[in-house]
């Protein structure tokens, strides 16, 4: 490593060692190099400085005034550099420290807390801090260094669309999809709805991040196309997205809407989960949700209808590959361990 384009790290080590030993032979032995290399390195440094650093005789080695000043200035600074790297290595390789975990919704927050409790029994020095993400954020909180790892489903951020530089843990659990509709919606009286029917209704869509034009590149987006979770439509995997396309009319129960089956030409956006529930309850659209929502997000103005033929929600952890460390991996292992011990991890009480 060259410092300032002038001095190599090894040259600094040799200079500091000679300064401590004041003996070329002992310095060479300590550094496992030849005496000739020590002498050559000191001479090179003296040429760079433009002054002698040591007074050398056949009997003794002593600092010059310039050499002593350089040694006193350089030694603590060099030790700080070494300590900084040591702390970084300990942080990257160790598990102790803070891990920031993002989640969406109440049930997933409880799952993260239970996985965190299991992690703390294994690694008491690891602290988990929770961060509730907005549906429209996608992977942006990872890129913005708000969180270290994100629990997300394959509808909000399909693994197949993750841009290079992301890592994904194993699938943790699956949930059947349900359609959230207003309690006044005709579908609320149905036992189930076919996925192929949904193109007849207006499906709400996540709002792009503030100040962000659709289709532009930003954290959480792949270059040239929106990443699901920030996209202009709800994104279902395996080509199912076209069946949930927004811009279709909702049922005629909503004032000012086109008759059922005819396009309204617009789609209502939301930025947070609570906004989505308010819009659904108010009859401004429908939205597919995982089945746990019917328990954790039950409200009198919203009904939940099972969707037949739709792919399941699959939940997993994702993180930036560059931020991969033992804490992230330990939390992923704890999440997998909790799921293995609890077949229904979102409703388990312990």
């Amino acid at each position: 490593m060259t410092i300032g384009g002038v001095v190599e790290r090894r040259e600094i080590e040799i200079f500091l060692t000679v300064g401590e030993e004041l003996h070329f032979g002992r310095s060479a032995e300590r550094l496992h190099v030849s005496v000739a290399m020590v002498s050559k390195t000191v001479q090179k440094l003296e040429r760079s400085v433009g002054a002698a650093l040591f007074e050398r005789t056949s009997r003794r080695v002593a600092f010059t005034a310039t050499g002593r000043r350089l040694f006193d200035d350089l030694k603590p600074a060099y030790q700080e550099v070494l300590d900084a790297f040591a702390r970084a290595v300990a942080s990257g390789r160790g598990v102790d420290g803070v891990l920031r975990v993002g989640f969406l919704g109440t049930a997933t927050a409880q799952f993260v807390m239970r996985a965190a409790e299991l992690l703390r029994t294994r690694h008491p020095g690891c602290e988990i801090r929770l961060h509730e993400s907005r549906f429209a954020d996608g992977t942006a909180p990872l890129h913005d260094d708000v969180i270290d790892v994100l629990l997300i489903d394959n509808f909000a951020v399909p693994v197949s669309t993750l841009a290079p530089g992301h890592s994904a843990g194993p699938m943790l659990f699956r949930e059947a999809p349900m359609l959230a509709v207003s309690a006044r919606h005709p579908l609320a009286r149905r036992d189930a709805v076919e996925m192929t029917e949904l193109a007849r209704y207006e499906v709400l869509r996540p709002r792009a991040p503030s100040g962000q034009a659709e289709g532009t590149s930003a954290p959480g987006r792949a270059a040239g196309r929106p990443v699901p979770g920030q996209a202009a439509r709800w994104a279902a995997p395996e080509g199912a997205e076209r069946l949930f396309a927004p811009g279709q009319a909702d049922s005629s129960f909503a004032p000012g809407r086109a008759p059922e089956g005819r396009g309204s030409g617009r789609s209502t956006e939301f930025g947070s989960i609570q906004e989505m529930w308010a819009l659904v309850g108010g009859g401004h659209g429908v939205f597919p949700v995982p089945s746990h929502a019917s328990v954790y997000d039950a409200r009198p103005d919203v009904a939940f209808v099972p969707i037949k033929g739709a792919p399941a929600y699959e939940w997993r952890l994702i993180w930036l590959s560059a931020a991969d460390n033992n804490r992230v991996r330990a939390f992923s292992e704890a999440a997998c361990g909790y799921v293995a011990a609890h077949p229904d991890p979102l409703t388990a009480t312990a």
Side-chain angles (χ1 to χ4, degrees), residues 195-320:
M195 187 170 71
T196 53
E197 297 181 64
L198 299 188
R200 301 167 59 187
Y201 303 100
E202 181 177 3
V203 179
L204 303 177
R205 67 182 186 181
R207 184 183 304 120
S210 178
Q212 169 90 30
E214 289 182 22
T216 59
S217 180
R221 287 178 179 256
R225 71 178 190 281
V227 168
Q230 296 177 314
R233 67 169 72 186
W234 175 79
E238 304 299 334
E241 182 185 39
R242 65 186 184 277
L243 301 176
F244 293 87
Q248 303 298 325
D250 204 347
S251 169
S252 57
F253 80 95
R257 292 300 175 93
E260 182 178 351
R262 297 175 60 184
S264 66
R266 65 187 183 89
S267 181
T268 304
E269 297 180 338
F270 65 90
S272 69
I273 295 293
Q274 293 307 315
E275 287 180 24
M276 184 271 289
W277 291 128
L279 289 169
V280 169
H284 298 288
V286 301
F287 196 72
V289 295
S291 57
H292 78 254
S294 63
V295 177
Y296 285 91
D297 298 292
R299 45 189 289 165
D301 57 344
V302 175
F304 298 89
V305 187
I307 305 173
K308 290 184 177 180
Y313 282 80
E314 295 182 348
W315 294 85
R316 69 186 70 231
L317 297 169
I318 62 172
W319 58 90
L320 296 182

